[in-house]
Amino acid sequence: MVEFTLPKNSRVTEGKVWPAPQGAQNLREYRIYRWNPDDGKNPRLDTFSVNLDDCGPMVLDGLIWIKSKIDSTLTFRRSCREGICGSCAMNIDGVNTLACTKDMGEIKGSIRIYPLPHQPVIKDLVPDLSHFFAQHAMIQPWLKTETPAPDNEWKQSREDREKLDGLYECILCACCSTSCPEYWWNPDRYLGPASLLHAYRWVIDSRDEATGERLDQLEDPFRLFRCVTILNCSKACPKSLNPARAIAELKKLMVEPRKI
C-alpha cells in the first residue's frame, strides 16, 4: 500500500494523456504521479508513451526522455545514474527502488511511478526528506574518539573491517524507511531502518570509543524497539542490504551492551 501526505481533501485524479510520438512503433506506457503545489489542483496521473527505440532501458531513462521530448515540467531527482547517489528513489510498480537501476523489462504492463510513500510531496516525484536526514544526523554518523588521534590513520584489523560489510554501503535513498509501516505511523519517534542501520555501523566500529553513549541514545520505547520485524525494509533495499538484521543486532546489544 502506498500512502502520501497531501493537502486536506485531495484525491488523485486522471490526468492528461499525452499523444504518442509520431512514427514510433516500439512504445511503452508510463503512468506518472503529478502534483504542483502552486496550482491548487488535485494530484493526477498523467499518461505518456515512450519510444523505446530512442531511449535507454532503465525507468530513469524513460523519465529523462519524457522530460526532454514531451513535458519539460515533469519534476524528479536524479544524479549519478549508477545506483550510488540514491537521488532517484521512487515507488515504481508498487515497490520502492531506484529508477536508474530498475529495468523497464522487469515490469509488466504500464510503468506506474509515484514518489516515495508517506512523505510530504514537494512536487511530482520529489518527496521532502528533511526529517529523514535529520534523523540520520541525530545518530551522529561519524567516528567519535577520546584517544589522541594517531599521526596517520586509525588502524583496524581485517576481521573488524569485515564487520562493516553490508552496512557502510547504504546510500540513504530512503527506500527502506519509507516502506516501513512503523515509520509511517511514528515518524517523529521511530528512527526508521536507514538511521538504525547507520547507528549499528558506528556501534560496532572497533575504532569508535562512544559505544555506550550511542546505545544510551537508543534507549527509548520508540527509537529502536518500535521495530516489529515486518522486513519490508530489507525487501525494498536496492543495494540488497539487510536493515532488519542490523536492527535485531542492535536490540541484542541493548540487552547486554557491555559484550561488544
Side-chain angles (χ1 to χ4, degrees), residues 199-214:
Y200 181 61
R201 175 255 180 274
W202 290 105
V203 162
I204 65 167
D205 193 317
S206 61
R207 302 164 296 178
D208 191 86
E209 298 175 348
T211 298
E213 176 187 336
R214 294 184 186 278

Side-chain angles (χ1 to χ4, degrees), residues 23-259:
Q25 300 295 321
N26 190 13
L27 298 174
R28 193 67 190 272
E29 183 178 272
Y30 270 59
R31 299 264 290 162
I32 302 177
Y33 177 94
R34 308 295 304 277
W35 182 67
N36 185 346
D38 298 324
D39 62 17
K41 297 180 180 179
N42 280 326
R44 67 185 192 272
L45 285 179
D46 279 4
T47 302
F48 301 88
S49 295
V50 174
N51 182 4
L52 297 184
D53 294 329
D54 186 37
C55 177
M58 300 301 176
V59 170
L60 180 60
D61 293 321
L63 290 172
I64 293 172
W65 190 90
I66 291 169
K67 187 174 180 68
S68 300
K69 306 280 188 177
I70 301 178
D71 183 5
S72 62
T73 67
L74 177 61
T75 305
F76 55 91
R77 292 190 180 111
R78 58 100 173 178
S79 184
C80 73
R81 301 179 69 175
E82 295 180 348
I84 296 173
C85 71
S87 299
C88 65
M90 53 191 74
N91 187 278
I92 302 172
D93 196 32
V95 178
N96 294 349
T97 189
L98 302 178
C100 67
T101 60
K102 185 67 174 180
D103 194 319
M104 290 187 231
E106 299 175 8
I107 303 172
K108 296 181 180 179
S110 299
I111 298 174
R112 297 175 177 269
I113 307 177
Y114 295 82
L116 289 175
H118 220 283
Q119 300 297 300
V121 177
I122 297 175
K123 185 181 179 184
D124 291 347
L125 302 176
V126 179
D128 185 350
L129 297 178
S130 300
H131 181 67
F132 171 80
F133 286 115
Q135 288 178 314
H136 175 250
M138 194 188 81
I139 60 103
Q140 300 179 327
W142 56 80
L143 194 67
K144 300 176 71 174
T145 62
E146 296 180 0
T147 303
D151 294 333
N152 297 309
E153 71 275 6
W154 291 96
K155 294 188 177 181
Q156 190 173 44
S157 70
R158 183 185 297 272
E159 292 75 17
D160 286 337
R161 167 59 186 80
E162 289 176 351
K163 293 178 182 178
L164 306 183
D165 288 343
L167 302 172
Y168 76 89
E169 299 95 330
C170 175
I171 57 176
L172 292 175
C173 64
C175 284
C176 64
S177 291
T178 56
S179 70
C180 172
E182 286 295 339
Y183 190 73
W184 298 352
W185 301 328
N186 300 285
D188 295 331
R189 301 184 65 182
Y190 176 50
L191 290 180
S195 294
L196 291 174
L197 180 140
H198 278 266
Y200 181 61
R201 175 255 180 274
W202 290 105
V203 162
I204 65 167
D205 193 317
S206 61
R207 302 164 296 178
D208 191 86
E209 298 175 348
T211 298
E213 176 187 336
R214 294 184 186 278
L215 292 176
D216 287 344
Q217 287 180 333
L218 300 176
E219 188 65 57
D220 181 273
F222 276 82
R223 288 184 180 178
L224 168 63
F225 288 100
R226 194 62 184 178
C227 170
V228 293
T229 323
I230 296 174
L231 302 182
N232 278 10
C233 56
S234 298
K235 182 179 179 181
C237 180
K239 304 295 286 186
S240 299
L241 307 183
N242 193 347
R245 178 182 176 276
I247 294 172
E249 294 297 329
L250 269 179
K251 289 178 179 178
K252 289 194 289 186
L253 292 176
M254 292 292 286
V255 176
E256 299 182 25
R258 299 194 181 192
K259 285 197 170 185

